[in-house]
Amino acid sequence: MKKLLALALSVVMAFSMVACGSNDEKPKVETKPETITILGQSSGEADLNILRDQLTKAGYTVEINMQPDYSSFQSALSAGNYDLALTGWTTVTGNVDYAVRGIFHSTGDYNNSPIVDEKIDELVDKGATETATQAVSTYSELESYLVGEKAYIVPLYSTMKNLAYNNQLVKSESVSQPKSRPGRWEMFEYVDSKLNETRPLVLTQSSSTPSTLDPIQANDGTMNSLSGNMYIKIVNLTDDDQITTDSSLSHSYAIAEGNNEYYFLLRDDVFFSKAENGHAANTGVMVGGEDVVYSLERACNKDSVASHKTYTLHNHMQTIEMVTDLNELNTVKDSDTGATILDTLKKGIDGEITALTNKDENVDNANGTYQVIKVTTTQPFPQVLNYLAHQSAGILNKEQVEAYNSKFSVESYDPTKDVCYGDFAAVKSGDSNMLWCSGPYQFISVDDYGIKFEANPGYMADEKEFTSKINNIYMKFIKDASAANSAFRAGEIDVISITKTSDIPTIEQDSKFTVMSRPSNGVTYCTFNLKEGSKFNNVDLRLSVLHAINQEEFVAFNDGYVMPVYSTVGTILETGNKHVFDLNKSAEHLAAYQATVA
């Protein structure tokens, strides 16, 4: 951890030497005061204050619209009650397409400004089809245009991912720090193994109202960690963002020549669980190919649910089907090795693949009968694997989902009276815990204080490496970061993601606590209101705000636990682009804007 911190500080020092200059001088260009309203959440109050001070120095009259939680923030965002919005994005799939498509492409589910620019769409789409080496140039151009030329966003910093745990209670070797994916609850284990069955492991999150419990209807911090542990995927990410089948529904996978076809050999030892009498019960229903096809087809169908928040992550999938002809696996070649797809898939198992079936009831891995899923993409698109590792590609039970969603059409859905699968209010009220979970943990119950989870008894029962070690998880709701850190130090929380970096030195003073830190793919930035009639549709006004931002002050406030960044691309690819703080440039662009409205 100390090496990572030293690296972060050295980068900050180097950046400071470049960024410093005559910016403390009074701008030479005269401007009139310009009013700007900044929207944010109470959890980002410190950043809002720094933004206010910096923009005030640049000649703006700043008003803060601070909302108490994510839901109310989203409502204000949709209503357009802002000029500049403090927000953030974490690339939880580890690939660059995810870092840009959903938030900058004109079709993006989270393009709230909205940014509508043909050149950005072209560059995003081009980068998605290129190899990693080719894509560096494309994404660098995209970044330069997005920020430096058009100032569609204002970058503030990228975050370190900080996690702390009680090392006297939780085994150090069971704690990992994934760069992108949610933490893996099934890996946690107590120092005293006798506690694994009886003592709930206490985690925490700030939001007490997850937006939904349907994985394709959410892509935010209220849901990612929960969904990532409730629903299994057909592939996963390692802690360092490499594709793996560990703790997934696949024994192995293969990419066919041309990078358009992807094959997955499914395992047969994962069963859906449900909440029954306050505990997790094995339904006896295997998580099979029919559920995979159903779940992925609804993920890539924009009209499958009333509020599809992850469609652009999956719209590159053209078809999802089960392969029944073993000869296909013997004739199609692997993209990397030239071997047959069958030979590549067999590397993930000990025995032979003697038969394929599209019927879940006929699967028998022990005797060589398997299911193989084939995903065909609309174009060569290897990044589809990263999206299949995302929580929104979690596998649901078709019958259970349709038992609720078939009662109304997408067009007629009324959230005030209709209960769809994953409806959080219905689950919380106790009227219906409709959730069947395919992942390592089953959602049991929720109240105003937290969520109870219990290990899925039908999850890889004979795979000790991936079976949950701790039987019960309790996700405690604590809205304020300082309060959460205090609760952690008092022993009320066992493992915590630290969002308030100023608390880290205090936590590290106690030897029973261990802090793990690493660079993350999280970026904090601001977006503009670009709706019709907004004055920030003027590029000079946006550039004025961009150059008024001094990233060094954010780094200093966070004691070096955050890093300068140019865009959401910068945590994954080194593009060479650097943000420039310059009050004179800011004033020049502000004056240019004001000349057009004089």
Side-chain angles (χ1 to χ4, degrees):
M1 177 265 172
K2 290 182 178 179
K3 289 183 178 179
L4 286 171
L5 179 57
L7 176 62
L9 290 173
S10 66
V11 173
V12 170
M13 291 174 65
F15 177 84
S16 299
M17 292 171 65
V18 173
C20 288
S22 59
N23 290 312
D24 290 334
E25 298 176 2
K26 184 177 179 180
K28 299 173 184 178
V29 179
E30 292 293 328
T31 60
K32 298 177 292 185
E34 192 71 40
T35 300
I36 185 170
T37 299
I38 308 177
L39 172 65
Q41 298 179 63
S42 57
S43 58
E45 184 174 4
D47 288 341
L48 290 170
N49 288 336
I50 295 173
L51 280 170
R52 179 188 59 202
D53 293 345
Q54 292 185 357
L55 290 172
T56 299
K57 291 177 182 177
Y60 286 85
T61 299
V62 180
E63 299 174 353
I64 301 292
N65 179 0
M66 186 159 59
Q67 298 296 321
D69 53 37
Y70 179 78
S71 178
S72 55
F73 170 81
Q74 283 294 115
S75 296
L77 200 66
S78 298
N81 297 331
Y82 72 100
D83 294 312
L84 189 69
L86 174 65
T87 187
W89 186 258
T90 300
T91 303
V92 295
T93 57
N95 63 312
V96 195
D97 188 75
Y98 182 91
V100 294
R101 181 173 298 277
I103 49 180
F104 304 137
H105 197 282
S106 62
T107 64
D109 299 304
Y110 289 84
N111 182 356
N112 295 308
S113 293
I115 299 169
V116 181
D117 191 307
E118 289 184 3
K119 183 172 181 178
I120 287 180
D121 288 356
E122 290 171 2
L123 290 170
V124 170
D125 291 337
K126 179 184 177 185
T129 66
E130 295 177 325
T131 65
T133 301
Q134 294 170 335
V136 173
S137 174
T138 300
Y139 287 122
S140 178
E141 182 183 355
L142 168 64
E143 209 183 36
S144 298
Y145 181 76
L146 175 79
V147 183
E149 186 174 339
K150 292 295 186 179
Y152 284 128
I153 69 166
V154 178
L156 302 183
Y157 56 84
S158 66
T159 57
M160 299 286 282
K161 198 170 186 179
N162 305 300
L163 176 146
Y165 64 94
N166 185 329
N167 57 51
Q168 295 182 359
L169 179 68
V170 182
K171 275 188 178 181
S172 295
E173 58 267 33
S174 75
V175 184
S176 64
Q177 179 74 312
K179 185 177 183 184
S180 296
R181 65 170 290 182
R184 296 172 59 188
W185 297 351
E186 75 269 22
M187 305 305 293
F188 287 123
E189 190 171 0
Y190 286 123
V191 173
D192 182 356
S193 60
K194 294 192 295 294
L195 298 177
N196 289 338
E197 284 295 320
T198 57
R199 185 188 185 280
L201 182 75
V202 183
L203 311 176
T204 186
Q205 71 174 37
S206 60
S207 177
S208 60
T209 54
S211 50
T212 177
L213 295 168
D214 180 343
I216 68 170
Q217 290 187 289
N219 192 18
D220 55 68
T222 71
M223 178 60 172
N224 282 346
S225 180
L226 308 184
S227 180
N229 287 283
M230 290 165 56
Y231 301 110
I232 198 169
K233 282 85 64 183
I234 58 174
V235 286
N236 267 324
L237 291 178
T238 67
D239 288 354
D240 295 313
D241 290 347
Q242 301 302 305
I243 301 297
T244 181
T245 56
D246 287 354
S247 200
S248 80
L249 192 60
S250 299
H251 289 291
S252 53
Y253 72 93
I255 306 173
E257 289 179 328
N259 296 343
N260 269 97
E261 298 171 335
Y262 302 80
Y263 295 83
F264 305 86
L265 183 68
L266 301 189
R267 57 193 307 143
D268 66 353
D269 59 351
V270 179
F271 294 82
F272 287 103
S273 61
K274 65 179 179 179
E276 188 173 86
N277 299 321
H279 293 284
N282 187 345
T283 64
V285 178
M286 186 187 76
V287 183
E290 295 173 43
D291 298 299
V292 173
V293 172
Y294 171 75
S295 299
L296 298 186
E297 283 184 343
R298 76 190 291 264
C300 67
N301 178 4
K302 190 174 185 179
D303 299 319
S304 61
V305 290
S307 180
H308 200 324
K309 295 295 186 182
T310 55
Y311 166 70
T312 55
L313 305 188
H314 302 295
N315 63 351
H316 289 92
M317 292 190 290
Q318 187 173 52
T319 59
I320 302 100
E321 58 191 313
M322 279 189 275
V323 178
T324 56
D325 183 3
L326 193 58
N327 188 55
E328 178 178 342
L329 304 186
N330 257 319
T331 55
V332 178
K333 302 297 184 181
D334 184 285
S335 177
D336 290 331
T337 66
T340 68
I341 295 297
L342 182 63
D343 285 340
T344 299
L345 293 179
K346 283 167 57 177
K347 291 179 180 179
I349 59 174
D350 294 329
E352 294 293 321
I353 303 172
T354 58
L356 301 179
T357 180
N358 60 359
K359 301 294 184 183
D360 292 353
E361 62 267 24
N362 294 335
V363 176
D364 185 0
N365 288 182
N367 291 304
T369 302
Y370 287 85
Q371 289 181 316
V372 169
I373 295 293
K374 176 183 176 182
V375 174
T376 303
T377 54
T378 57
Q379 60 189 23
F381 191 61
Q383 293 188 61
V384 72
L385 293 171
N386 294 77
Y387 290 135
L388 290 171
H390 187 250
Q391 64 87 16
S392 60
I395 308 305
L396 307 179
N397 178 263
K398 177 180 179 179
E399 286 71 25
Q400 189 67 6
V401 174
E402 290 304 306
Y404 290 85
N405 290 8
S406 63
K407 295 178 181 178
F408 49 83
S409 67
V410 172
E411 295 78 16
S412 67
Y413 171 68
D414 182 350
T416 64
K417 64 178 183 179
D418 294 325
V419 175
C420 61
Y421 182 85
D423 189 298
F424 179 74
V427 175
K428 184 178 180 181
S429 69
D431 290 341
S432 174
N433 186 346
M434 77 283 285
L435 305 172
W436 278 30
C437 295
S438 58
Y441 281 91
Q442 170 67 41
F443 188 112
I444 301 298
S445 62
V446 60
D447 56 25
D448 290 337
Y449 305 101
I451 305 174
K452 293 180 181 179
F453 294 89
E454 190 171 297
N456 176 357
Y459 186 83
M460 302 187 193
D462 296 326
E463 290 280 0
K464 299 305 179 186
E465 181 182 358
F466 305 128
T467 304
S468 301
K469 314 300 185 296
I470 294 177
N471 193 53
N472 298 289
I473 300 287
Y474 184 66
M475 180 64 72
K476 192 170 188 176
F477 301 141
I478 302 181
K479 182 177 179 180
D480 180 72
S482 293
N485 290 332
S486 296
F488 172 73
R489 296 196 302 272
E492 299 170 19
I493 296 170
D494 305 322
V495 182
I496 184 172
S497 294
I498 305 171
T499 57
K500 193 171 182 181
T501 55
S502 57
D503 287 332
I504 292 178
T506 303
I507 293 173
E508 288 185 316
Q509 287 176 3
D510 194 324
S511 62
K512 70 174 177 287
F513 298 136
T514 298
V515 176
M516 300 173 66
S517 295
R518 69 173 301 166
S520 79
N521 288 333
V523 176
T524 297
Y525 62 98
C526 294
T527 60
F528 292 98
N529 181 353
L530 300 180
K531 294 179 172 62
E532 186 177 354
S534 170
K535 62 185 178 182
F536 279 96
N537 280 300
N538 181 283
V539 66
D540 275 308
L541 191 55
R542 298 197 302 269
L543 284 165
S544 171
V545 172
L546 175 71
H547 289 298
I549 300 306
N550 183 354
Q551 292 186 339
E552 293 176 65
E553 293 185 0
F554 292 95
V555 174
F557 177 81
N558 288 281
D559 298 321
Y561 283 98
V562 304
M563 310 277 285
V565 73
Y566 199 68
S567 83
T568 50
V569 173
T571 63
I572 304 172
L573 289 181
E574 177 52 58
T575 62
N577 292 320
K578 303 294 181 185
H579 171 69
V580 176
F581 161 56
D582 190 323
L583 286 178
N584 281 309
K585 281 188 176 181
S586 175
E588 288 169 3
H589 285 292
L590 180 56
Y593 160 74
Q594 291 180 340
T596 66
V597 295

